[in-house]
């Protein structure tokens, strides 16, 4: 059903590509996530959810947050990118690294989402999600009979960059011994006057995302879509993976930091320091201006 819906929407041919940076590797093992494995992806549209449902029949989870609190963090104004080699120096932050005060929310747990709940959640921020049933990701993964999809941005972007990742894997070590991680990035072509963008960063005021669905159907044109996947041999789950070759500054959630850098690399996207908490303030301003 999900593939039929994509076909009707114009996504007839979906390009899947395994992107490797290592020379001499002509053949990579295909992506075969199993039950309990983690698929980490960016999120810019409900079309992403449909494709994942068609391709892997996964379980979707979303984090449930505690009340946000102000904290001072080091912010690098440069976008997240891939930096080969080990970090050298005295450990003193560079002059380009600034301090900023931001509102961050701690992850209290996760809730399992149905396919239609994930489609409805597109464009919303996770503070709109409430649940009396909250579980830890490890418990959900261990009891899962299918792969588990995690969107570390926790809300949709405009598809042109990666939002700041939430610490969804706090405490996990890199390389990960206890779980298999598959990293991917979905990209769409920029919109044209004849072809609207599949990205859906702001939820529709009512019946979300039906108005956007009708917008995609109206031109009756083909929609290009590409899915770029990191080979399992270069995943943080690989025994040969070195976190120091990917991320310079590892935080309390080194796995999320590594996933952000690797996703930016394979998707050729820039990471921004704008997170879902910042989007809450932006949407409040946006809707007040439209009244």
């Amino acid at each position: 059903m999900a593939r039929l819906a994509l076909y009707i929407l114009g996504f007839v041919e979906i390009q899947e590509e395994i992107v490797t940076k290592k020379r001499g590797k002509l053949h990579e093992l295909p992506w075969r996530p199993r039950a309990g494995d983690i698929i980490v992806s960016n999120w810019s549209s409900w079309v992403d959810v449909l494709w994942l449902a068609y391709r892997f029949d996964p379980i979707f989870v979303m984090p449930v947050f505690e009340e946000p609190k102000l904290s001072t963090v080091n912010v690098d104004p440069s976008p997240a990118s891939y930096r080969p080699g080990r970090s050298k120096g005295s450990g003193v932050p560079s002059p380009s690294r600034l301090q900023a005060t931001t509102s961050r929310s701690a992850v209290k747990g996760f809730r399992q989402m149905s396919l239609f709940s994930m489609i409805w959640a597109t464009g919303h921020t996770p503070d709109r999600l409430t649940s009396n049933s909250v579980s830890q990701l490890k418990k959900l993964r261990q009891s899962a009979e299918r792969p588990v999809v995690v969107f570390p941005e926790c809300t949709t972007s405009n598809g042109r960059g990666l939002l700041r990742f939430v610490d969804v894997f706090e405490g996990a070590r890199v390389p990960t011994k206890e779980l298999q991680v598959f990293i991917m990035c979905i990209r769409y072509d920029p919109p044209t006057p004849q072809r609207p963008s599949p990205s859906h960063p702001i939820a529709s005021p009512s019946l979300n995302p039906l108005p956007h669905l009708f917008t995609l159907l109206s031109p009756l044109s083909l929609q290009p879509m590409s899915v770029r996947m990191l080979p399992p041999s270069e995943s943080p789950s690989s025994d040969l993976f070195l976190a120091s070759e990917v991320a310079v500054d590892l935080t309390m959630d080194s796995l999320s930091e590594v996933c952000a850098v690797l996703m930016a690399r394979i998707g050729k996207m820039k990471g921004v320091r704008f997170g879902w908490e910042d989007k809450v303030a932006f949407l409040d301003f946006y809707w007040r201006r439209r009244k």
Side-chain angles (χ1 to χ4, degrees), residues 22 82 86 173-177 181 183 230-247 250 254-255 257-262 265:
K22 296 182 179 179
Y82 172 65
R86 295 180 179 271
R173 296 183 178 181
V174 179
T176 57
K177 302 292 185 181
V181 179
I183 302 174
L230 185 74
S233 61
E234 298 179 27
S235 164
S237 305
S238 173
D239 292 335
L240 301 178
F241 183 83
L242 293 176
S244 57
E245 292 185 354
V246 177
L250 297 180
S254 56
L255 180 54
E257 179 71 16
V258 166
C259 287
V261 175
L262 290 173
R265 187 187 75 184

Side-chain angles (χ1 to χ4, degrees), residues 8 34 37 39 46 53 58 86 120 163 172 195-196 224 241 247 253 266 278 281 284 290:
I8 294 173
R34 297 177 295 180
D37 291 346
I39 299 175
W46 48 272
R86 295 180 179 271
W120 173 86
L163 301 182
R195 188 182 63 237
F241 183 83
D253 186 359
I266 64 173
D278 305 293
D284 180 64
R290 289 178 63 92

Side-chain angles (χ1 to χ4, degrees), residues 4-43:
L4 177 61
L6 290 169
Y7 190 90
I8 294 173
L9 290 167
F11 297 94
V12 177
E13 294 185 5
I14 300 175
Q15 180 184 0
E16 298 181 19
E17 179 184 4
I18 294 183
V19 182
T20 177
K21 284 292 184 180
K22 296 182 179 179
R23 297 181 179 179
K25 289 209 168 188
L26 300 179
H27 302 285
E28 276 290 347
L29 294 176
W31 259 46
R32 291 177 181 170
R34 297 177 295 180
D37 291 346
I38 300 291
I39 299 175
V40 183
S41 175
N42 65 321
W43 191 18

Side-chain angles (χ1 to χ4, degrees), residues 215-232:
T215 301
L216 293 182
L217 286 173
S218 57
L220 297 177
S221 60
L222 297 182
Q223 286 281 3
M225 175 180 177
S226 63
V227 183
R228 302 169 68 86
M229 305 173 178
L230 185 74

